[in-house]
Amino acid sequence: MLRKIKNIIPQEFHTRAFIVAITVLLRAILNFFGIAMLVPLLMLILDFEALQSNHIVRYVYDFLGCKSHSQFVIATALAIVGFIALKNMMNLWLYKYERNFTYDLYGNLSRRLFVDYYRRGLLFVSERNSTELSRNVNIVCLNFVIGVLKPAAAIVGEIIPFALIIVAIIFYDPTASLLLALTFVPAVWIYYSFVKERLLKYGAEENQAQREKFRNVAESFRGYTDVEISNAFPQIISSFNRATDRLVAMRKRDATLSTIPQGITETSLAAGMATLIIIGAFMPERKIGLVFGLFAVAAVRLLPSIRNILTSLTAIRYNLHTIDTLSDISNDKIEIDNSSERIHLHQQMEVRNISFRYTKNAQSVIEDFSLTIKQGERIGIRGASGAGKSTLMNLLLGLYAPDKGEILIDGIKLDQTTRRKWQNSVGYVPQSVFLLDSTLLENIALGVPSEKIDRERVMEVLKMASLTEFVERLPDGLNSSIGEAGCRVSGGERQRIGIARALYKRPDILFFDEATSSLDRTTEQSINSSIEELSRNNQNITIVAIAHRETSLEYCDRIINIEKL
Ligand code: ADP
């Protein structure tokens, strides 16, 4: 498990993690001295004569020029208060380092996981639940840092002074230490073995319930119309309620388990004191006073320590599942290929004997497929639903890599290293164009920072996509909000926005993946004639259109049929 945690923490945080360990250690030592200082004070009050025989005490006594026992006690008390105040200030300062480390690490993990998921490609993303991925990126990372790393540091920070205090007490008075051990150890051990498995189970179950809740909420809003018309909401809400009940139950149980340590420690302390009183009946008075005092001082510090250790252990066990979610996070540097370089299509795109299957044991979706697309050609690819058209499209876009064969653009092989440059030359319009929750302007120039958007080009492509009238009708023109929370656009307008977006980057090749299939006949014909017109006016743009209806491909020079295997 420790190795897994180490792998999750990136290389550049290792030195900082080491420094955090040192600050935790320093804090622990300071805390030990904070409590250890109280012991001399106690002894000064209870056993002054014994102390006076100590030559260091004698020396300090003389050095301070104390005239009486009470003067010395006051001076020592003030010194101790001063030291503890200073110690706490230093503690705060040291703790700042740990806190900064924790939250910086959260930021790093969250960013890395996001990029890592993204980089794994379309196949990975399409096979996962998007709400779960987003929860992992935003919440699981935080739970790992706050629920595993922080309590782990707290345990180390508590255990060290704890051990030192115990050793000091053993050294000073074995009876008191034995008593402390006898009162706390069995109680702690019984508690931990009782909650260990439960916590793991509760944590995992809460995680499961959380996922379900996130999914229910996201699906209800995303698919509102379908959900409403199919009257699916009652079923969704009952699944949501079940998940919520489970989550609430787990939280309640976790909260109960977390409050038990306080009861245990206090009861143990009372039991210890009671034992002490009983034993005390057989001890000389001064001695019992001292042991009692020692016991109380130690307990003041040990009690919260034990409680803290137990609560931290509880938190770690509850959040242990986060380690598995994060343990396959890639340790590569976060590098996003944002080069604007292009591979231009001057002559032809060659698809040579490619094959592709989704999983090792599945049937090939594309088998030994070849095709040559000449520059400026308008090619239609037709096939029944499920024939593999979208799969082929994703291969041509470089989103999937073929298992066999290759795709060449003017002789340059399309692979991981050339993919970005090829995609920079490509315009793509899918069946249902994805709209950002943003302005029309930003939706057209997708990915371009708003200050760098070429508004003239936007107007140009809007005209090419026959959207000029649409923009004029919008309340704020190009700056009108469209997308999820903005103005609704019709199916035809949405597809035309997709075309304008594809054209904005002056592509060498335009890919249409069932771009008009979901539209009514008239809108489809109207969009197809726009595509034909723009192709006539821009002869150098190559077009590859995929559709299951031949009527959607009327403007193409050549139509290729692909059949279901
Ligand atoms: P088309 O676009 O022609 O309708 P697709 O390319 O979408 O066909 O799908 C071709 C076949 O591949 C179908 O049998 C489909 O079930 C399968 N398929 C598509 N996507 C995946 C995926 N992510 N994982 C597994 N199988 C898939």
Side-chain angles (χ1 to χ4, degrees):
M1 193 182 84
L2 279 179
R3 172 143 354 121
K4 273 189 183 171
I5 295 181
K6 187 167 168 263
N7 284 344
I8 295 173
I9 300 175
Q11 197 70 37
E12 68 261 36
F13 276 76
H14 284 183
T15 323
R16 282 179 73 181
F18 181 69
I19 299 174
V20 167
I22 293 175
T23 63
V24 169
L25 216 68
L26 281 177
R27 281 200 293 136
I29 293 169
L30 281 175
N31 281 337
F32 168 71
F33 279 112
I35 194 73
M37 293 298 269
L38 294 178
V39 178
L41 189 66
L42 194 70
M43 279 158 46
L44 271 181
I45 299 163
L46 294 169
D47 200 7
F48 185 64
E49 276 131 54
L51 257 188
Q52 257 186 337
S53 54
N54 183 320
H55 67 276
I56 300 176
V57 177
R58 225 11 298 151
Y59 178 77
V60 178
Y61 189 95
D62 293 340
F63 179 79
L64 293 175
C66 292
K67 292 202 173 60
S68 68
H69 171 200
S70 49
Q71 257 189 10
F72 188 57
V73 171
I74 292 170
T76 316
L78 287 178
I80 289 170
V81 171
F83 172 79
I84 290 179
L86 196 71
K87 170 212 93 155
N88 282 325
M89 261 151 54
M90 280 177 76
N91 256 351
L92 274 183
W93 183 76
L94 288 170
Y95 178 64
K96 197 171 141 196
Y97 194 88
E98 183 193 325
R99 188 198 57 205
N100 288 353
F101 170 82
T102 313
Y103 290 104
D104 286 348
L105 181 64
Y106 159 69
N108 176 288
L109 283 179
S110 180
R111 270 192 291 272
R112 264 177 47 230
L113 194 62
F114 185 23
V115 175
D116 192 35
Y117 280 161
Y118 187 83
R119 259 200 310 224
R120 291 189 203 189
L122 180 64
L123 211 49
F124 171 84
V125 173
S126 58
E127 279 166 2
R128 300 292 185 295
N129 182 313
S130 61
T131 43
E132 192 180 328
L133 294 184
S134 104
R135 204 178 84 81
N136 289 349
V137 167
N138 291 317
I139 295 173
V140 173
C141 286
L142 193 60
N143 287 350
F144 168 72
V145 169
I146 290 182
V148 177
L149 288 190
K150 248 178 126 191
I155 291 176
V156 177
E158 293 289 0
I159 274 186
I160 294 167
F162 184 83
L164 288 175
I165 291 171
I166 298 279
V167 170
I169 300 173
I170 291 178
F171 188 70
Y172 186 77
D173 191 325
T175 328
S177 60
L178 189 72
L179 197 57
L180 274 174
L182 278 179
T183 45
F184 288 117
V185 174
V188 168
W189 185 78
I190 292 170
Y191 166 75
Y192 194 61
S193 40
F194 172 74
V195 300
K196 218 165 74 180
E197 291 313 313
R198 285 181 169 76
L199 285 169
L200 212 57
K201 194 175 126 228
Y202 297 165
E205 213 160 294
E206 183 196 313
N207 186 37
Q208 190 66 35
Q210 283 271 26
R211 278 195 217 165
E212 202 132 325
K213 278 162 65 71
F214 268 80
R215 193 173 56 80
N216 290 149
V217 174
E219 283 172 358
S220 305
F221 295 136
R222 207 184 302 142
Y224 187 89
T225 313
D226 285 297
V227 168
E228 177 62 11
I229 299 302
S230 313
N231 197 19
F233 195 63
Q235 198 233 329
I236 292 180
I237 195 74
S238 79
S239 147
F240 180 83
N241 284 342
R242 275 197 306 274
T244 309
D245 288 346
R246 248 171 42 229
L247 184 137
V248 169
M250 294 308 123
R251 279 279 162 115
K252 280 183 190 164
R253 286 182 198 176
D254 176 50
T256 312
L257 293 184
S258 309
T259 48
I260 294 177
Q262 181 162 2
I264 290 183
T265 46
E266 277 179 22
T267 315
S268 304
L269 182 69
M273 291 203 172
T275 320
L276 203 59
I277 290 168
I278 296 165
I279 300 173
F282 307 97
M283 269 190 185
E285 202 176 311
R286 178 185 287 162
K287 178 83 174 152
I288 183 68
L290 195 59
V291 173
F292 204 88
L294 252 182
F295 191 77
V297 167
V300 164
R301 181 68 201 135
L302 293 185
L303 213 63
S305 250
I306 296 175
R307 203 180 304 147
N308 222 342
I309 291 170
L310 287 179
T311 325
S312 302
L313 276 174
T314 315
I316 294 181
R317 294 234 23 122
Y318 199 73
N319 291 296
L320 216 54
H321 63 88
T322 59
I323 296 179
D324 282 333
T325 308
L326 300 181
S327 61
D328 59 344
I329 186 170
S330 148
N331 255 330
D332 298 347
K333 266 211 153 345
I334 304 178
E335 267 170 22
I336 299 155
D337 186 358
N338 62 354
S339 85
S340 52
E341 263 180 75
R342 286 183 167 207
I343 293 178
H344 286 289
L345 177 65
H346 294 298
Q347 285 166 0
Q348 62 183 29
M349 181 176 192
E350 227 184 320
V351 180
R352 273 197 206 153
N353 311 96
I354 57 167
S355 299
F356 180 83
R357 65 180 70 187
Y358 279 97
T359 47
K360 257 205 174 95
N361 303 321
Q363 222 193 345
S364 287
V365 178
I366 306 281
E367 178 84 46
D368 202 20
F369 180 81
S370 298
L371 170 71
T372 302
I373 304 161
K374 295 244 178 288
Q375 195 266 335
E377 231 183 339
R378 295 176 293 188
I379 291 205
I381 298 174
R382 210 192 69 81
S385 180
K389 302 181 298 295
S390 293
T391 309
L392 176 63
M393 179 63 92
N394 286 332
L395 285 158
L396 298 179
L397 289 168
L399 296 173
Y400 293 166
D403 301 325
K404 278 193 219 142
E406 54 188 5
I407 298 172
L408 303 163
I409 299 118
D410 285 351
I412 300 170
K413 188 174 168 188
L414 178 59
D415 58 21
Q416 275 298 319
T417 56
T418 54
R419 185 180 116 163
R420 178 73 267 134
K421 292 177 194 143
W422 170 236
Q423 287 168 349
N424 287 342
S425 291
V426 163
Y428 165 69
V429 188
Q431 182 165 12
S432 176
V433 171
F434 158 74
L435 292 182
L436 281 186
D437 184 11
S438 181
T439 62
L440 175 64
L441 191 72
E442 283 174 352
N443 264 291
I444 303 286
L446 185 62
V448 183
S450 38
E451 67 281 3
K452 288 196 181 153
I453 296 177
D454 178 351
R455 293 178 81 100
E456 252 175 57
R457 176 69 186 159
V458 170
M459 290 313 292
E460 217 171 275
V461 294
L462 284 171
K463 188 156 178 260
M464 286 161 92
S466 314
L467 277 173
T468 320
E469 265 179 47
F470 165 74
V471 182
E472 279 163 7
R473 277 203 316 272
L474 287 175
D476 295 318
L478 286 177
N479 295 322
S480 307
S481 277
I482 54 166
E484 202 170 359
C487 127
R488 297 279 303 148
V489 294
S490 74
E493 285 155 359
R494 179 182 277 263
Q495 295 312 96
R496 286 183 190 279
I497 291 173
I499 295 172
R501 177 188 292 165
L503 289 169
Y504 178 82
K505 60 204 263 197
R506 300 179 201 277
D508 292 351
I509 185 164
L510 271 177
F511 286 102
F512 293 100
D513 185 0
E514 302 273 16
T516 55
S517 305
S518 59
L519 304 173
D520 62 273
R521 206 81 184 93
T522 329
T523 318
E524 179 181 17
Q525 272 171 354
S526 144
I527 292 190
N528 281 340
S529 58
S530 304
I531 297 176
E532 184 164 23
E533 191 186 327
L534 85 88
S535 141
R536 217 181 316 116
N537 298 335
N538 301 273
Q539 296 272 334
N540 53 342
I541 294 188
T542 310
I543 291 179
V544 177
I546 282 180
H548 64 276
R549 276 204 305 256
E550 193 128 7
T551 46
S552 313
L553 305 169
E554 275 162 357
Y555 58 88
C556 293
D557 306 322
R558 184 154 65 104
I559 291 178
I560 290 149
N561 280 298
I562 59 167
E563 296 309 324
K564 208 169 181 163
L565 282 173

mmCIF file of all heavy atoms in Angstrom, residues 535-563:
data_model
loop_
_atom_site.group_PDB
_atom_site.id
_atom_site.type_symbol
_atom_site.label_atom_id
_atom_site.label_comp_id
_atom_site.label_asym_id
_atom_site.label_seq_id
_atom_site.Cartn_x
_atom_site.Cartn_y
_atom_site.Cartn_z
ATOM 1 N N SER A 535 -18.392 23.466 -51.266
ATOM 2 C CA SER A 535 -17.400 22.613 -51.907
ATOM 3 C C SER A 535 -17.083 23.141 -53.312
ATOM 4 O O SER A 535 -15.947 23.111 -53.766
ATOM 5 C CB SER A 535 -17.935 21.182 -51.929
ATOM 6 O OG SER A 535 -17.632 20.543 -53.101
ATOM 7 N N ARG A 536 -18.119 23.656 -53.991
ATOM 8 C CA ARG A 536 -17.918 24.226 -55.344
ATOM 9 C C ARG A 536 -17.032 25.469 -55.263
ATOM 10 O O ARG A 536 -16.141 25.676 -56.068
ATOM 11 C CB ARG A 536 -19.277 24.584 -55.948
ATOM 12 C CG ARG A 536 -19.339 24.309 -57.443
ATOM 13 C CD ARG A 536 -20.679 24.672 -58.078
ATOM 14 N NE ARG A 536 -21.859 24.266 -57.326
ATOM 15 C CZ ARG A 536 -22.737 25.125 -56.800
ATOM 16 N NH1 ARG A 536 -22.554 26.429 -56.905
ATOM 17 N NH2 ARG A 536 -23.797 24.697 -56.158
ATOM 18 N N ASN A 537 -17.275 26.282 -54.231
ATOM 19 C CA ASN A 537 -16.505 27.525 -54.083
ATOM 20 C C ASN A 537 -15.116 27.300 -53.502
ATOM 21 O O ASN A 537 -14.295 28.195 -53.501
ATOM 22 C CB ASN A 537 -17.252 28.513 -53.194
ATOM 23 C CG ASN A 537 -18.570 28.917 -53.792
ATOM 24 O OD1 ASN A 537 -18.727 28.845 -55.014
ATOM 25 N ND2 ASN A 537 -19.513 29.303 -52.963
ATOM 26 N N ASN A 538 -14.893 26.126 -52.920
ATOM 27 C CA ASN A 538 -13.581 25.833 -52.308
ATOM 28 C C ASN A 538 -13.103 24.478 -52.835
ATOM 29 O O ASN A 538 -13.069 23.489 -52.105
ATOM 30 C CB ASN A 538 -13.691 25.775 -50.786
ATOM 31 C CG ASN A 538 -14.192 27.072 -50.186
ATOM 32 O OD1 ASN A 538 -13.442 27.978 -49.899
ATOM 33 N ND2 ASN A 538 -15.492 27.162 -50.019
ATOM 34 N N GLN A 539 -12.743 24.475 -54.090
ATOM 35 C CA GLN A 539 -12.421 23.204 -54.765
ATOM 36 C C GLN A 539 -11.287 22.425 -54.103
ATOM 37 O O GLN A 539 -11.163 21.227 -54.290
ATOM 38 C CB GLN A 539 -12.030 23.488 -56.224
ATOM 39 C CG GLN A 539 -13.131 24.080 -57.083
ATOM 40 C CD GLN A 539 -13.993 23.009 -57.746
ATOM 41 O OE1 GLN A 539 -13.523 21.904 -57.956
ATOM 42 N NE2 GLN A 539 -15.236 23.337 -58.066
ATOM 43 N N ASN A 540 -10.442 23.139 -53.369
ATOM 44 C CA ASN A 540 -9.298 22.425 -52.770
ATOM 45 C C ASN A 540 -9.667 21.672 -51.492
ATOM 46 O O ASN A 540 -8.869 20.919 -50.963
ATOM 47 C CB ASN A 540 -8.135 23.388 -52.497
ATOM 48 C CG ASN A 540 -8.602 24.567 -51.687
ATOM 49 O OD1 ASN A 540 -9.810 24.829 -51.630
ATOM 50 N ND2 ASN A 540 -7.678 25.262 -51.055
ATOM 51 N N ILE A 541 -10.883 21.893 -50.977
ATOM 52 C CA ILE A 541 -11.271 21.156 -49.756
ATOM 53 C C ILE A 541 -11.748 19.752 -50.136
ATOM 54 O O ILE A 541 -12.631 19.589 -50.978
ATOM 55 C CB ILE A 541 -12.381 21.890 -48.981
ATOM 56 C CG1 ILE A 541 -11.869 23.221 -48.435
ATOM 57 C CG2 ILE A 541 -12.867 21.040 -47.797
ATOM 58 C CD1 ILE A 541 -12.828 23.920 -47.503
ATOM 59 N N THR A 542 -11.135 18.766 -49.493
ATOM 60 C CA THR A 542 -11.534 17.372 -49.706
ATOM 61 C C THR A 542 -12.686 17.080 -48.750
ATOM 62 O O THR A 542 -12.693 17.589 -47.622
ATOM 63 C CB THR A 542 -10.338 16.458 -49.377
ATOM 64 O OG1 THR A 542 -9.210 16.965 -50.084
ATOM 65 C CG2 THR A 542 -10.599 15.014 -49.753
ATOM 66 N N ILE A 543 -13.647 16.294 -49.207
ATOM 67 C CA ILE A 543 -14.780 15.984 -48.321
ATOM 68 C C ILE A 543 -14.967 14.472 -48.205
ATOM 69 O O ILE A 543 -14.943 13.751 -49.206
ATOM 70 C CB ILE A 543 -16.083 16.635 -48.841
ATOM 71 C CG1 ILE A 543 -15.996 18.161 -48.698
ATOM 72 C CG2 ILE A 543 -17.297 16.109 -48.071
ATOM 73 C CD1 ILE A 543 -17.204 18.912 -49.202
ATOM 74 N N VAL A 544 -15.075 13.997 -46.988
ATOM 75 C CA VAL A 544 -15.411 12.590 -46.758
ATOM 76 C C VAL A 544 -16.678 12.592 -45.916
ATOM 77 O O VAL A 544 -16.685 13.106 -44.804
ATOM 78 C CB VAL A 544 -14.278 11.836 -46.014
ATOM 79 C CG1 VAL A 544 -14.692 10.394 -45.739
ATOM 80 C CG2 VAL A 544 -12.985 11.880 -46.806
ATOM 81 N N ALA A 545 -17.763 12.058 -46.496
ATOM 82 C CA ALA A 545 -19.034 12.062 -45.761
ATOM 83 C C ALA A 545 -19.499 10.630 -45.554
ATOM 84 O O ALA A 545 -19.429 9.810 -46.473
ATOM 85 C CB ALA A 545 -20.060 12.856 -46.534
ATOM 86 N N ILE A 546 -19.932 10.375 -44.349
ATOM 87 C CA ILE A 546 -20.410 9.048 -44.009
ATOM 88 C C ILE A 546 -21.905 9.122 -43.739
ATOM 89 O O ILE A 546 -22.357 10.033 -43.033
ATOM 90 C CB ILE A 546 -19.653 8.515 -42.779
ATOM 91 C CG1 ILE A 546 -18.278 8.023 -43.192
ATOM 92 C CG2 ILE A 546 -20.431 7.416 -42.073
ATOM 93 C CD1 ILE A 546 -17.445 7.484 -42.069
ATOM 94 N N ALA A 547 -22.670 8.208 -44.327
ATOM 95 C CA ALA A 547 -24.111 8.223 -44.065
ATOM 96 C C ALA A 547 -24.703 6.858 -44.357
ATOM 97 O O ALA A 547 -24.119 6.064 -45.100
ATOM 98 C CB ALA A 547 -24.780 9.271 -44.945
ATOM 99 N N HIS A 548 -25.842 6.594 -43.728
ATOM 100 C CA HIS A 548 -26.462 5.316 -44.078
ATOM 101 C C HIS A 548 -27.469 5.494 -45.212
ATOM 102 O O HIS A 548 -27.887 4.543 -45.832
ATOM 103 C CB HIS A 548 -27.097 4.663 -42.831
ATOM 104 C CG HIS A 548 -28.213 5.445 -42.245
ATOM 105 N ND1 HIS A 548 -28.005 6.482 -41.362
ATOM 106 C CD2 HIS A 548 -29.547 5.366 -42.428
ATOM 107 C CE1 HIS A 548 -29.174 6.996 -41.015
ATOM 108 N NE2 HIS A 548 -30.125 6.338 -41.650
ATOM 109 N N ARG A 549 -27.841 6.772 -45.508
ATOM 110 C CA ARG A 549 -28.785 7.046 -46.615
ATOM 111 C C ARG A 549 -28.035 7.611 -47.796
ATOM 112 O O ARG A 549 -27.230 8.527 -47.650
ATOM 113 C CB ARG A 549 -29.797 8.104 -46.153
ATOM 114 C CG ARG A 549 -30.964 7.563 -45.386
ATOM 115 C CD ARG A 549 -32.159 8.513 -45.493
ATOM 116 N NE ARG A 549 -31.851 9.880 -45.071
ATOM 117 C CZ ARG A 549 -32.245 10.392 -43.892
ATOM 118 N NH1 ARG A 549 -32.923 9.650 -43.049
ATOM 119 N NH2 ARG A 549 -31.964 11.641 -43.577
ATOM 120 N N GLU A 550 -28.315 7.066 -48.968
ATOM 121 C CA GLU A 550 -27.618 7.528 -50.165
ATOM 122 C C GLU A 550 -27.992 8.988 -50.483
ATOM 123 O O GLU A 550 -27.158 9.755 -50.957
ATOM 124 C CB GLU A 550 -27.985 6.611 -51.346
ATOM 125 C CG GLU A 550 -27.084 6.814 -52.536
ATOM 126 C CD GLU A 550 -26.485 5.510 -53.040
ATOM 127 O OE1 GLU A 550 -26.878 4.447 -52.552
ATOM 128 O OE2 GLU A 550 -25.603 5.583 -53.916
ATOM 129 N N THR A 551 -29.235 9.380 -50.130
ATOM 130 C CA THR A 551 -29.686 10.743 -50.445
ATOM 131 C C THR A 551 -28.831 11.791 -49.725
ATOM 132 O O THR A 551 -28.736 12.930 -50.161
ATOM 133 C CB THR A 551 -31.152 10.939 -50.014
ATOM 134 O OG1 THR A 551 -31.295 10.408 -48.702
ATOM 135 C CG2 THR A 551 -32.117 10.267 -50.967
ATOM 136 N N SER A 552 -28.213 11.389 -48.597
ATOM 137 C CA SER A 552 -27.377 12.348 -47.867
ATOM 138 C C SER A 552 -26.044 12.564 -48.580
ATOM 139 O O SER A 552 -25.268 13.425 -48.198
ATOM 140 C CB SER A 552 -27.084 11.829 -46.454
ATOM 141 O OG SER A 552 -28.231 11.374 -45.836
ATOM 142 N N LEU A 553 -25.775 11.737 -49.580
ATOM 143 C CA LEU A 553 -24.454 11.799 -50.212
ATOM 144 C C LEU A 553 -24.538 12.213 -51.678
ATOM 145 O O LEU A 553 -23.620 11.966 -52.458
ATOM 146 C CB LEU A 553 -23.775 10.414 -50.105
ATOM 147 C CG LEU A 553 -23.657 9.826 -48.695
ATOM 148 C CD1 LEU A 553 -23.223 8.370 -48.741
ATOM 149 C CD2 LEU A 553 -22.663 10.631 -47.872
ATOM 150 N N GLU A 554 -25.645 12.879 -52.026
ATOM 151 C CA GLU A 554 -25.877 13.189 -53.443
ATOM 152 C C GLU A 554 -24.786 14.062 -54.056
ATOM 153 O O GLU A 554 -24.512 13.971 -55.248
ATOM 154 C CB GLU A 554 -27.251 13.855 -53.611
ATOM 155 C CG GLU A 554 -28.367 12.836 -53.727
ATOM 156 C CD GLU A 554 -29.743 13.421 -53.450
ATOM 157 O OE1 GLU A 554 -29.815 14.631 -53.111
ATOM 158 O OE2 GLU A 554 -30.723 12.657 -53.550
ATOM 159 N N TYR A 555 -24.197 14.910 -53.272
ATOM 160 C CA TYR A 555 -23.186 15.835 -53.804
ATOM 161 C C TYR A 555 -21.818 15.176 -53.985
ATOM 162 O O TYR A 555 -20.879 15.794 -54.463
ATOM 163 C CB TYR A 555 -23.046 17.070 -52.898
ATOM 164 C CG TYR A 555 -22.669 16.728 -51.476
ATOM 165 C CD1 TYR A 555 -21.340 16.600 -51.109
ATOM 166 C CD2 TYR A 555 -23.653 16.521 -50.503
ATOM 167 C CE1 TYR A 555 -21.001 16.272 -49.810
ATOM 168 C CE2 TYR A 555 -23.311 16.184 -49.215
ATOM 169 C CZ TYR A 555 -21.985 16.061 -48.858
ATOM 170 O OH TYR A 555 -21.642 15.724 -47.580
ATOM 171 N N CYS A 556 -21.662 13.907 -53.593
ATOM 172 C CA CYS A 556 -20.339 13.260 -53.638
ATOM 173 C C CYS A 556 -19.973 12.810 -55.058
ATOM 174 O O CYS A 556 -20.831 12.501 -55.874
ATOM 175 C CB CYS A 556 -20.314 12.057 -52.704
ATOM 176 S SG CYS A 556 -20.451 12.553 -51.000
ATOM 177 N N ASP A 557 -18.648 12.784 -55.335
ATOM 178 C CA ASP A 557 -18.175 12.345 -56.647
ATOM 179 C C ASP A 557 -18.187 10.822 -56.717
ATOM 180 O O ASP A 557 -18.310 10.231 -57.773
ATOM 181 C CB ASP A 557 -16.711 12.794 -56.867
ATOM 182 C CG ASP A 557 -16.547 14.283 -56.658
ATOM 183 O OD1 ASP A 557 -17.465 15.032 -57.060
ATOM 184 O OD2 ASP A 557 -15.515 14.706 -56.078
ATOM 185 N N ARG A 558 -17.955 10.194 -55.586
ATOM 186 C CA ARG A 558 -17.775 8.737 -55.564
ATOM 187 C C ARG A 558 -18.375 8.215 -54.265
ATOM 188 O O ARG A 558 -18.217 8.842 -53.202
ATOM 189 C CB ARG A 558 -16.262 8.465 -55.568
ATOM 190 C CG ARG A 558 -15.844 7.033 -55.647
ATOM 191 C CD ARG A 558 -14.452 6.936 -56.282
ATOM 192 N NE ARG A 558 -13.402 7.548 -55.483
ATOM 193 C CZ ARG A 558 -12.508 6.860 -54.760
ATOM 194 N NH1 ARG A 558 -12.553 5.548 -54.732
ATOM 195 N NH2 ARG A 558 -11.566 7.489 -54.091
ATOM 196 N N ILE A 559 -19.088 7.074 -54.363
ATOM 197 C CA ILE A 559 -19.675 6.511 -53.136
ATOM 198 C C ILE A 559 -19.136 5.095 -52.920
ATOM 199 O O ILE A 559 -19.097 4.286 -53.851
ATOM 200 C CB ILE A 559 -21.213 6.507 -53.199
ATOM 201 C CG1 ILE A 559 -21.711 7.957 -53.126
ATOM 202 C CG2 ILE A 559 -21.814 5.703 -52.050
ATOM 203 C CD1 ILE A 559 -23.184 8.136 -53.231
ATOM 204 N N ILE A 560 -18.653 4.866 -51.721
ATOM 205 C CA ILE A 560 -18.120 3.543 -51.390
ATOM 206 C C ILE A 560 -19.082 2.876 -50.417
ATOM 207 O O ILE A 560 -19.509 3.503 -49.444
ATOM 208 C CB ILE A 560 -16.720 3.682 -50.765
ATOM 209 C CG1 ILE A 560 -15.750 4.128 -51.847
ATOM 210 C CG2 ILE A 560 -16.228 2.379 -50.142
ATOM 211 C CD1 ILE A 560 -14.648 4.949 -51.332
ATOM 212 N N ASN A 561 -19.414 1.639 -50.692
ATOM 213 C CA ASN A 561 -20.308 0.921 -49.783
ATOM 214 C C ASN A 561 -19.492 0.062 -48.843
ATOM 215 O O ASN A 561 -18.600 -0.668 -49.277
ATOM 216 C CB ASN A 561 -21.246 0.017 -50.579
ATOM 217 C CG ASN A 561 -22.390 0.826 -51.149
ATOM 218 O OD1 ASN A 561 -23.179 1.413 -50.408
ATOM 219 N ND2 ASN A 561 -22.443 0.911 -52.476
ATOM 220 N N ILE A 562 -19.755 0.183 -47.544
ATOM 221 C CA ILE A 562 -19.120 -0.799 -46.658
ATOM 222 C C ILE A 562 -20.230 -1.649 -46.049
ATOM 223 O O ILE A 562 -21.283 -1.149 -45.670
ATOM 224 C CB ILE A 562 -18.196 -0.181 -45.574
ATOM 225 C CG1 ILE A 562 -18.930 0.778 -44.657
ATOM 226 C CG2 ILE A 562 -16.985 0.478 -46.169
ATOM 227 C CD1 ILE A 562 -18.094 1.123 -43.415
ATOM 228 N N GLU A 563 -19.971 -2.917 -46.040
ATOM 229 C CA GLU A 563 -20.991 -3.846 -45.562
ATOM 230 C C GLU A 563 -20.642 -4.341 -44.180
ATOM 231 O O GLU A 563 -19.473 -4.393 -43.797
ATOM 232 C CB GLU A 563 -21.104 -5.051 -46.520
ATOM 233 C CG GLU A 563 -21.571 -4.693 -47.913
ATOM 234 C CD GLU A 563 -22.847 -3.848 -47.907
ATOM 235 O OE1 GLU A 563 -23.709 -4.070 -47.035
ATOM 236 O OE2 GLU A 563 -22.962 -2.939 -48.757
#
